Amino acid sequence: MDIKSLHEKYSNGEMSVYSYIESLFNKIEKDNYNTFITLNKENALEKAKELDEKLKSSKEISGLFGVPVAVKDNILTKDLRTTAASKSLENFIPMYDAKIIERLKNTDAIIVGKTNMDEFAMGGSSETSYFGPTINPFDNALTPGGSSSGSAASIAAEEAVLAFGSDTGGSVRNPADFCNVVGFAPTYGALPRMGSISMSNSFDRIGINANNVNDVRELFNATRGKCDTDFTSIDLEDFDEDIDLSKLNVAVINLKDEYKVSPQIKELFEESIQKIKELNVNIEYIDIDHLDVIGEVYTVIMCVEVESNIAKIDGLRYGQSVVEYDSTDDFYIKNRTQFFGEEVKRRIVLGNFFASKDNEQKYYKQAMKLRWAYKNQIDELFKKYDIILSPTTIALPRKAGESKNDASSSFDVGIFNYLTNLTNVPSISIPMEKGKLGSLQIMGNREEDMKLLKIAEEIEGVIR
């Protein structure tokens, strides 16, 4: 279901808002995909009634009217439980909304509930969630990816039409790819991060999952823009020009053997590039220096930031705490031992290791130098090209359960995702063939998100 189809059904009386939203909750309970941690059923059905009354007085439907939206469970929702999929926040009820939720509530959209995810967004399979893994609706035997597994899966399962996720190193685009839906990670700060539980401050951005690019744009336009309480937030210029793909300059990243791209993904990618070439688009192949170590660069910086961010979940400021302890040290040790999962503990330890006095120069400073090198390369490329194309991931999803005992599993497929987060540019993932796993990632220039979405919509029509 997309927004256009949904609005047509509302307009012609094929279904009411209430009947549709009620059917979604019935579907969620029946599906058993574990896409949601907390449902917003009572409030959603109440709003659906109000919208049906509104529909009686006006047949004009636009925007997000009656559109069910799922929200990743690390985005604060006033009076609706927000757990970040962690035992430590199992009973946390926020007192205020994240800025994007505040803006969403000013529309006629309906919040379905809070989606499952990897604990504190740390993981790439949903299997680190305290509430159990999300099941991939595309193929129940495969991992749905992560960390925004529930958000992407809710779209694939038709349990929502739109979903908010968060993207640190591909956490919206990776599950979009694995669940065969669209995933958008905008320019850093284009969607305010105020009210999101941060994993890695300099990488995190709020993202969107949907069935098509047009639906992504609808939610993005309703919630984007500068926020007074988030100094990293930005305003974007609108882009109203028509796109002629034949007039674009397009860069395609060479898929070197050392990247170990899956044969199926490589084949679909080459077929998609060929379809674009047939429109007389100017395409040139490029190389990105040091791409073979980008996973290590991302991991070092991310873990250092995780160690700092997670410090506030200590049982005093936020999070559950033990009742019995012998000392202050014992209090912190017991809280972190009992209420954090293994992946969270692992990244805290790595962050302390990389940031320690003996290792800071060896690891963190070197990683930051390479981050700057990636940024300089991307900036130079966008002086010449309108977009850069790559596969979204380099591998197909693993079997469910295979990632649990592999500490590196969440870092081994996202080299092209990492590039956009390290350089703070927007990108969107679009399935290359309906019903077949493998997605095209389209990267745009920093703060040119509206142009990127226009181009992506044209490309979507060509390859799908």
Side-chain angles (χ1 to χ4, degrees):
M1 183 79 76
D2 57 29
I3 293 175
K4 183 181 178 182
S5 301
L6 180 61
H7 283 172
E8 285 174 357
K9 291 179 185 295
Y10 287 155
S11 294
N12 62 26
E14 186 176 334
M15 63 186 180
S16 66
V17 180
Y18 186 91
S19 66
Y20 175 57
I21 298 303
E22 184 179 45
S23 73
L24 286 189
F25 286 112
N26 291 336
K27 191 176 192 321
I28 291 166
E29 290 165 8
K30 182 181 177 183
D31 285 345
N32 204 28
Y33 290 135
N34 202 28
T35 47
F36 289 89
I37 292 174
T38 305
L39 292 174
N40 188 39
K41 188 173 183 178
E42 185 178 341
N43 289 333
L45 290 174
E46 188 61 38
K47 183 156 188 177
K49 286 181 183 177
E50 294 172 7
L51 293 179
D52 279 330
E53 288 300 313
K54 189 174 182 179
L55 194 58
K56 289 177 183 177
S57 59
S58 173
K59 290 296 179 183
E60 288 189 20
I61 295 178
S62 60
L64 296 173
F65 181 93
V67 175
V69 181
V71 179
K72 188 175 181 179
D73 205 27
N74 62 346
I75 298 171
L76 301 190
T77 43
K78 185 180 179 182
D79 299 328
L80 184 63
R81 186 172 67 147
T82 301
T83 71
S86 177
K87 185 179 181 181
S88 65
L89 295 178
E90 185 178 6
N91 301 309
F92 176 54
I93 309 292
M95 295 183 290
Y96 63 91
D97 284 319
K99 179 55 69 173
I100 57 167
I101 300 303
E102 185 182 303
R103 290 173 178 172
L104 184 66
K105 287 182 176 179
N106 288 328
T107 73
D108 287 328
I110 296 175
I111 296 174
V112 179
K114 308 300 291 295
T115 57
N116 202 1
M117 56 181 282
D118 285 290
E119 184 181 9
F120 288 113
M122 300 183 204
S125 66
S126 89
E127 291 166 333
T128 69
S129 171
Y130 173 66
F131 300 91
T134 303
I135 306 301
N136 188 339
F138 181 84
D139 184 336
N140 296 178
L142 302 176
T143 170
S147 63
S148 305
S149 55
S151 294
S154 70
I155 304 301
E158 297 189 346
E159 297 173 348
V161 171
L162 291 166
F164 277 124
S166 66
D167 194 302
T168 309
S171 297
V172 164
R173 292 158 291 160
N174 168 278
D177 179 28
F178 288 2
C179 293
N180 208 229
V181 298
V182 174
F184 175 53
T187 297
Y188 180 84
L191 286 171
R193 298 182 305 117
M194 193 286 287
S196 63
I197 299 172
S198 213
M199 172 182 140
S200 181
N201 294 49
S202 71
F203 291 146
D204 289 350
R205 72 274 304 272
I206 304 298
I208 296 170
N209 288 121
N211 281 305
N212 59 47
V213 178
N214 186 63
D215 285 5
V216 166
R217 184 190 293 109
E218 197 70 56
L219 182 57
F220 187 51
N221 279 335
T223 53
R224 67 182 171 93
K226 197 165 180 60
C227 161
D228 291 340
T229 51
D230 179 359
F231 72 91
T232 66
S233 63
I234 58 172
D235 284 323
L236 300 173
E237 289 188 12
D238 290 327
F239 185 85
D240 298 321
E241 299 173 26
D242 292 330
I243 293 294
D244 181 348
L245 292 179
S246 67
K247 294 182 179 177
L248 298 183
N249 292 316
V250 176
V252 176
I253 297 179
N254 277 314
L255 303 186
K256 297 179 179 180
D257 291 341
E258 56 260 40
Y259 300 159
K260 298 178 181 177
V261 180
S262 157
Q264 177 175 312
I265 292 174
K266 195 169 185 176
E267 181 181 349
L268 286 173
F269 182 67
E270 289 169 352
E271 288 175 2
S272 295
I273 298 304
Q274 185 56 40
K275 289 176 183 176
I276 297 169
K277 277 183 178 179
E278 288 170 3
L279 298 175
N280 296 318
V281 179
N282 179 34
I283 288 179
E284 295 180 15
Y285 286 82
I286 61 160
D287 292 316
I288 304 289
D289 293 339
H290 315 303
L291 202 56
D292 56 323
V293 295
I294 198 168
E296 288 83 351
V297 172
Y298 168 80
T299 300
V300 169
I301 300 171
M302 175 271 294
C303 286
V304 170
E305 294 185 5
V306 160
E307 184 275 325
S308 174
N309 276 325
I310 211 72
K312 61 181 174 287
I313 316 293
D314 57 8
L316 287 176
R317 286 166 288 184
Y318 297 97
Q320 297 194 68
S321 61
V322 295
V323 176
E324 297 182 2
Y325 52 91
D326 298 327
S327 64
T328 302
D329 284 348
D330 188 45
F331 174 79
Y332 286 113
I333 290 169
K334 283 183 175 178
N335 280 340
R336 294 198 158 194
T337 300
Q338 292 185 28
F339 299 120
F340 287 165
E342 289 303 313
E343 185 63 28
V344 176
K345 295 173 188 174
R346 183 181 294 116
R347 297 195 191 193
I348 291 171
V349 170
L350 283 171
N352 277 294
F353 175 78
F354 293 139
S356 67
K357 182 179 178 182
D358 293 337
N359 292 320
E360 184 189 19
Q361 291 288 341
K362 190 189 301 184
Y363 297 108
Y364 183 70
K365 291 288 178 66
Q366 295 304 313
M368 289 300 288
K369 287 179 183 178
L370 279 167
R371 184 178 192 177
W372 191 253
Y374 294 130
K375 180 182 179 297
N376 287 340
Q377 288 182 78
I378 290 295
D379 288 348
E380 286 301 311
L381 287 169
F382 278 120
K383 289 177 182 178
K384 182 177 180 182
Y385 301 104
D386 295 287
I387 54 172
I388 301 172
L389 303 180
S390 74
T392 300
T393 60
I394 62 171
L396 296 170
R398 295 187 180 201
K399 294 286 186 182
E402 284 185 357
S403 303
K404 257 194 164 181
N405 299 316
D406 184 351
S408 65
S409 64
S410 60
F411 304 110
D412 59 6
V413 300
I415 61 173
F416 301 122
N417 292 168
Y418 300 149
L419 183 62
T420 66
N421 291 84
L422 281 160
T423 59
N424 295 340
V425 298
S427 66
I428 188 165
S429 171
I430 300 172
M432 290 186 281
E433 185 176 317
K434 194 170 181 63
K436 203 168 186 178
L437 291 180
S439 297
L440 177 72
Q441 176 171 259
I442 310 169
M443 305 176 220
N445 199 2
R446 196 173 300 110
E447 299 187 26
E448 292 185 2
D449 300 56
M450 305 317 295
K451 179 181 177 181
L452 170 63
L453 289 174
K454 278 254 190 176
I455 294 171
E457 192 167 19
E458 292 297 319
I459 291 177
E460 180 181 45
V462 172
I463 67 171
R464 292 181 76 179

